[in-house]
Structure formats: structure tokens, C-alpha cells
Amino acid sequence: MLMRTDPFREMDRIVQQLSGTSGTWSKPSVMPMDAYREGEEYVIAFDVPGVNPEAIDIDVERNMLTVKAERRPVAKADSLKVELSERPLGVFSRQVMLADTLDTERIQADYDAGVLTLRIPIAERAKPRKISIGGESGRKQISG
């Protein structure tokens, strides 16, 4: 039901980790995710630890889902001397092509413990339905 849109994203992520660069709005860092089906909906979970929920932007245009988040540095005092800074800052983004069988009008988003979870119901038209053959005329009727 989901399609990867950029096969080279993982390579970009590895290069960014090794070089220590952070994402920008023009070239965001990759946002790790899991996607799975749970009953009658698809669930996509994005790792965005330390990101304020107000700094997360979720858009759907046609079947393209785009999630962007920005982690900014914590305000620091002038007398503070940073000894170690390993947590990535900057802009993170992920685009996912959604199948036509998903109901993009009813996406639900929750944010808890640094994980953004989107729940996308399967559209009614995509659910399996029984087709019965009616009466003597042999007409087919779709029940659903």
C-alpha cells in the first residue's frame, strides 16, 4: 500500500551521519519510519524525538504524504561551553506515496514520546465485498 519515493535517501542519511551535517529546509535530513497494516488501517510511525509538536508539518496532496519537522537548538546561556553535541538538529522530512485504496480524508495524527503516529483508514471502496448472483435473470448485485 505504500511506495518508497527515493531509493537514495538511505545513502544520504548515512553520508549526513558521517559528515555531521544537519538538514536544512532545502535539503532536509531523512526521518526514520515504520509502516504496517493494523486491521482496517495503515499505521506509519515517524521518529522525531525532541521535536515540539508545533514544529511538525503534515501535508497530503493527492496521494503524496509529506511530513516535515524541525529540531532547533535549546537556548543556551552565554557562559555555556558545549563539550559534546551528538543529537542532530535541523530539518527532517519524509515523503510517502499512498495507495489509492487509502482514505486520505480521514488521517489521524498523534504524537507521544518522540514518535509521530499517523493512522490512515482503508477506503470503503477498497475493502473486499461479496458479489451475489440475483434471481432468474442472472443479474449480478454487489453487496457491501
Side-chain angles (χ1 to χ4, degrees):
M1 292 277 183
L2 304 174
M3 296 173 46
R4 290 184 182 262
T5 57
D6 186 356
F8 299 103
R9 241 11 211 181
E10 186 65 16
M11 289 296 289
D12 287 344
R13 184 187 65 78
I14 292 169
V15 169
Q16 284 178 341
Q17 278 184 334
L18 293 174
S19 67
T21 59
S22 1
T24 63
W25 282 103
S26 60
K27 181 122 174 79
S29 298
V30 70
M31 182 184 308
M33 71 173 222
D34 291 332
Y36 53 92
R37 183 174 176 164
E38 185 176 25
E40 295 299 316
E41 61 188 8
Y42 265 87
V43 179
I44 307 175
F46 298 92
D47 280 349
V48 285
V51 174
N52 188 330
E54 287 80 38
I56 299 173
D57 187 33
I58 306 166
D59 291 314
V60 176
E61 185 175 337
R62 295 192 179 204
N63 289 359
M64 181 64 71
L65 170 72
T66 303
V67 178
K68 276 193 174 183
E70 183 175 12
R71 184 177 12 220
R72 297 182 177 138
V74 178
K76 298 175 182 163
D78 292 336
S79 62
L80 185 69
K81 181 180 174 188
V82 177
E83 297 292 332
L84 180 65
S85 181
E86 292 182 342
R87 296 176 25 197
L89 300 173
V91 180
F92 302 86
S93 178
R94 193 68 181 253
Q95 285 190 314
V96 179
M97 180 69 78
L98 302 175
D100 291 332
T101 57
L102 299 176
D103 187 351
T104 58
E105 298 292 321
R106 300 185 319 153
I107 296 175
Q108 295 178 348
D110 295 306
Y111 183 74
D112 184 39
V115 178
L116 172 67
T117 304
L118 302 180
R119 295 184 173 279
I120 310 167
I122 295 177
E124 288 298 320
R125 68 182 183 279
K127 293 181 182 175
R129 48 193 185 277
K130 186 77 171 160
I131 299 173
S132 61
I133 300 174
E136 295 175 36
S137 66
R139 281 183 294 167
K140 292 184 180 180
Q141 294 178 336
I142 298 175
S143 61

